[in-house]
Amino acid sequence: MELVLNEEQTMLAQTVKNFITDNSPINRMRQLRDDKDMLGYSKDIWKQMADLGWTAILFSEADGGLELGMAETVLVTEEMGRNLAPEPYISSIVLAGQALAKGGSKELREQWLGSVIAGDAVLTVAYQEKGGRYDITKIKTTAAKTADGYVINGEKVQVTDGYGADAMIVSARTSGNDGDADGITLFLVPRDAAGMTVTRQWRLDSRNVALVAFKDVKVSEANIVGTVDKGGQLLGQVIDLATVALCGEMLGGMNFAFNHMLAYMKERVQFNVPIGSFQALKHRAAKMYMEVELSRSVVMAAARAVDEENAGKELFISTAKARCSDAYIAVTNEAVQILGGNGMTDEENIGFYMKRARVAEMTFGDATYHKDRFATLKGY
Amino acid sequence: MELVLNEEQTMLAQTVKNFITDNSPINRMRQLRDDKDMLGYSKDIWKQMADLGWTAILFSEADGGLELGMAETVLVTEEMGRNLAPEPYISSIVLAGQALAKGGSKELREQWLGSVIAGDAVLTVAYQEKGGRYDITKIKTTAAKTADGYVINGEKVQVTDGYGADAMIVSARTSGNDGDADGITLFLVPRDAAGMTVTRQWRLDSRNVALVAFKDVKVSEANIVGTVDKGGQLLGQVIDLATVALCGEMLGGMNFAFNHMLAYMKERVQFNVPIGSFQALKHRAAKMYMEVELSRSVVMAAARAVDEENAGKELFISTAKARCSDAYIAVTNEAVQILGGNGMTDEENIGFYMKRARVAEMTFGDATYHKDRFATLKGY
Amino acid sequence: MADLEEFRASVRSWLEANAPKSLRGKMRDPAAAFWGGKKTKLPYPDSKPWLDMMAERGWTIPFWPKEYGGGGLSKEETKVLNEELARLELPPPLTGFGITMIGPTILQYGTEEQKKLYIPQIIKGEIRWCQGYSEPNAGSDLANIQTKAVVDGDDYIVNGQKIWTSFGDLSDWIFMLVRTNWEVKKQAGITFLLADMESKGVEVRPIKLISGASPFCEVFFEDVRVPRHQILNRENGGWEVARALLGHERTMIANTFGGRQSSTETKENPMEAAAKKYIGLQDGKIADDAIRQRMAQNQIDEQSFLLTVQRNSDNIKAGHRPGPETSIFKVYGTELNQRRQELMLSIFGPECLGWEGDGFEKNELDLPKVWLRSRGNTLEGGSSEIQLNIIAKQVLGLPD
Amino acid sequence: MADLEEFRASVRSWLEANAPKSLRGKMRDPAAAFWGGKKTKLPYPDSKPWLDMMAERGWTIPFWPKEYGGGGLSKEETKVLNEELARLELPPPLTGFGITMIGPTILQYGTEEQKKLYIPQIIKGEIRWCQGYSEPNAGSDLANIQTKAVVDGDDYIVNGQKIWTSFGDLSDWIFMLVRTNWEVKKQAGITFLLADMESKGVEVRPIKLISGASPFCEVFFEDVRVPRHQILNRENGGWEVARALLGHERTMIANTFGGRQSSTETKENPMEAAAKKYIGLQDGKIADDAIRQRMAQNQIDEQSFLLTVQRNSDNIKAGHRPGPETSIFKVYGTELNQRRQELMLSIFGPECLGWEGDGFEKNELDLPKVWLRSRGNTLEGGSSEIQLNIIAKQVLGLPD
């Protein structure tokens, strides 16, 4: 792999940066939160992002996409992460979009992917359950076989962008026991399915997440995504992709936090000098700089490892998520400390990053989870 | 418990400090090392220490002791640790002496304790084996019952002060399997026992340790210390006492290293100012100061918890060993870094402390071992 | 000793006869803390009579001098009183900055008139105090305060702005630093003033924090008249007072955030309970060993810290001077609390990410706010950086 | 491309015909490194003929200019040559500070005469160089050097002392900083000199380190005559040269200690092998989970570091300027190595405590010395503190 942007990638990054700078200042996130906006993002901006082609990056030309890869995807999520743009990129494009692209029947793909790429439909994956921590096989939701399909019962929590989603891909146990890798099946459930209740949840990062309850929800076999009993594996695959995309977002966020802290150190005067002239703070800033630079390298590498089907791609992904989780938290903690009382006020933007860092850490497995996974993959 | 020295303790500490300052500068350790002294300590100084009554502290009046406690013991080991005095206090007085005092028959006690306290005989405990790490129940040495006693076969490593010891208390398996808590018996084996080979080992800290091989070594039942098959428990008890004494030593060592570093920071000039005026170094020194102060508190508390038979004394002991292990290493690492190239030379004394810190860390269980033990004791 | 036992008997019978039954058992109930003053909500209906009956005997602060309304009790008697209060699990009748900060400072620096005036009001809980120290450009560099006080007859005219004033909106009086001299070294031109928050020209605005709460305020002063007899110590002698008071504050913050339950107590603490609930046990051990090691580390740190606090207090009890280890309480205690809250987040896992509403339990919704609040611990009352500077200079003697 | 393949064919046949068979397969054998000069022990009997035959073609440093004895190869040809050397697993014919430090600096700052004189000697491995920078009072504050050089006719008379001179006892020449002007700012009075260690008045004393080894020396100069034409750049222009050379040194140290094997390689590395041996597996996992997590952390750190080195080099290959991340290699690489060695100690446990003699295996006796040596990594070539200062100032633009 080459850890350098080619010309097209450089141009893409610049386009995304320009759009985000002009159309999605961090204040947009604040406004959505203050308004207690139920959707938590802007349909209009999401449509504009789709028009710019960002949503098409990961899809094959046959599905109406650009057939680019994760290397390009992380450029988009990094710039979104820099200003905490809350549009449903990871949920609709990476998680649900790729699950459909990889495992959806021709009919399902034709039904959904066009409008997903166009930004008209928003999909997501409902996989997380209360008490399951980071193990996607620990689920109590079941899908029982009936004469003409399946009946789903159970509850999913913190379903990203689940409120207002046009459909969601739901993981349910069709055989085996809690914790078994096999025996999980993915079902696409449209928003109007009888027996499905979607309740908006309010989280630390103010993004759209939902509590989704299934009470005797009927789905037909045609709505199965992937293979019966092998849905856990497909889910794992798209979560890996989504993890890389999220690492891109985290990289953008930590970059913002770091630069914000650095600017404050140059400008804030105490004891008649800028506080950035104090050596203890300098050394801490230099260490945070190292964290950010190392994070950039591992995000680029993880994206390329996926794109190149590198045999060790899971190692790269866990390296990226472990590092970005620790680094985003370290950088935002240091930034708040160095911004002092100002950093503690809601008026300052840094708090949004500190909160988002914690949510991102705990999405798709925290640092400890990925260190454990790294060790297991290495065989020790 | 009261974490304060009473008048007698204050006087004792001062006496020990004076003796060590006058008679045991750190250069003595260097000389012993450079001479490749087989004993690794001075019989003469050991005798003087005994004459001052330090060796009697832990023994009952019946055994000829002063019937004081660990609170006094750590005062002695702290001052010894400050100048790395290598005399066999922990091995002969705490480990072997207390094993005998607690588990020895009247005959064994009468035979040995007087001369141990007088500093004439040196005993030790041979319990560690290659590959056993910190688990005293993982031993391959066996003692097989015979008509008139036992026959010991096996090998012990890094037996502290084992070279030249007049006798050693050896742990051997008399029943059960490797790793079982029960089934270990302690035997007192005199130096002239046929079939026992003692080889001096040379370690990082240049102290006296020995490789001890047992080939069909016959011991009589009269030489059993404690109860048959319950020797592991007695060994655990005296190792707990020795751990507290060692923590005292570590406290003294880290105090030296910290003060040495501090003096250097005030005296070493670079960029026309003492390097102690650089804020980054100041903050690091302040953090090391905290480590040293916290270490003092936990050492005092562990000693008192033992003396008062506190129900949670093992928690105090593991707290002390975990903290002192981490702190001694942190302080010596920082000291070497701040002393710069000088700290890397053999001519500087700090290297002796850096090496001793590592040995002390790995004696009686390292920090990780004691954190694990702490958690287990707390029931989680 | 006989006298002490007599005293204990009289305290006991008085408490049993008079202490409100409704408050018994509420000793550790944080909601039972009563901050006094005119704007503070009463925690329980009986809180006011409880305060009044205790204040009448001077027992809100039992060891303060009797002549100013204190209890005038000896150390031993105070201990007995506390034991008897604990026996009925009664909450302290009063808490607040009057008791912990400005009261001791007035006793140390106040004139006889000031002591006679303010101390009884503090003891009776009639006024709640807030602290006017920090300003937008005087945080770590506290001596840089710019709020000015100009003499006009018997008054000062005060203009300027304070920030990070805890509970400014609920307080009756403020103790504050103002600049009275611009010609000298920063520290030498500061005066310590006591002012009524009801004075004309005082405006209070709560600051919303990242945790969503607003425990701090900005306080604006526009031509506020403060009588000159309300200075503590002499004019331009405020820095000395401020530093003395900061010492009280740091001890208070460290005590608050250092945690109280010793980790060697066999009682299960909230962290262990959470780990068992959210992670579970495997072979009797917390199933995630990385978390388990962090828990042990955190509890070992906490125990080390508490033992150091105890060592300091035992030293003082034994008649020794406080050891230099006192200086580490603020920085270590607050950083320890931050590590603890971060560990709690890791233990809860994704269930701690809620802010409000459906799908989260109450303790799950509380945790992130407690965590966010803890980030301020290393800033307020002198940041960790300032504390480390102080340790390096004053304790370790390192050069500037 | 056709030319390249022709070149490859000719290299291959030449190597197969001439490269000593005894050295094949020794590419990664650290003992095969030959440092050249008159005092260095020959690693293998064939090391000298191997050096000579390579030097004759200029292939000890294949990309240096042909006119000074280099190979004059293009980047592509150099790559081909290295691939062919790797094909036979041949060790580099020569290593040392001539190649990595002073050679490039002479090419950059030397006069035509100096290049013609020294570069061929370096290429042929005739002289081994050492570095005379640090002094007892000029460590981090390198510009504070006091070794003085006074003009006397065509010579300088040099007096003073150098310290931390790597392999001073095995070197033939020294490149050094001397003070030639006391009247100006420290940095402006320094001259960069090349001197023959055989000169009268030079004395070398090895320094014994905590690891027991003596890779460093003190070098004393007493009225040593050094011809004035042996300065590099102009008189008092030495600081600029010194800084350029330090850049080379830092890169070298970071490369040496950053580790080489990527953690994502599936091959088992020495740390994993040690953990399996000294701790063992339980359910397929290292039985001590705290160690296991530290191993994963260390390997993740290593991989992050190596990927950052690669990113920088890919950027340069792509024609971009080196990114600012270059500045972090020295400090991160050396601290990473220290963490790795400390982790290795924890993995070995008590078996790593040996120094020599009975009861320990060879790798057990080696480890503590490697660990102790690693403590110097954050000091030599500019301490971590100096590196962090540089990053803060030059990369982050923070004020003095």
Side-chain angles (χ1 to χ4, degrees), chain B residues 1-47:
Chain B
M1 65 179 72
E2 297 234 318
L3 299 179
V4 65
L5 298 190
N6 62 31
E7 265 183 64
E8 292 74 22
Q9 289 164 342
T10 307
M11 272 179 55
L12 172 63
Q14 194 56 52
T15 313
V16 180
K17 193 186 198 83
N18 292 345
F19 179 84
I20 295 286
T21 307
D22 295 345
N23 298 282
S24 182
I26 166 72
N27 266 344
R28 197 163 69 81
M29 183 72 233
R30 177 186 294 281
Q31 194 62 52
L32 289 163
R33 182 199 66 175
D34 289 348
D35 294 347
K36 294 203 76 175
D37 188 286
M38 290 295 278
L39 203 57
Y41 58 86
S42 154
K43 283 211 164 185
D44 178 47
I45 287 189
W46 182 231
K47 183 69 183 159

Side-chain angles (χ1 to χ4, degrees), chain B residues 2 94 175 251:
Chain B
E2 297 234 318
V94 189
S175 74
L251 176 63

Side-chain angles (χ1 to χ4, degrees), chain C residues 22 50 53 82 122 128 141 149 164 175 177 182 189 209 225 249 293 301-302 305 314 317 331 334 340 342 353 381 383:
Chain C
S22 65
W50 172 229
M53 73 179 71
N82 284 331
I122 291 172
R128 179 169 181 175
D141 185 10
W164 309 122
F175 50 91
L177 301 180
W182 281 259
L209 293 188
R225 287 198 167 263
E249 184 186 3
Q293 280 267 335
D301 286 350
E302 181 176 348
F305 175 70
D314 287 351
K317 273 190 231 150
V331 57
T334 54
R340 186 192 298 128
E342 296 202 316
L353 297 175
S383 69

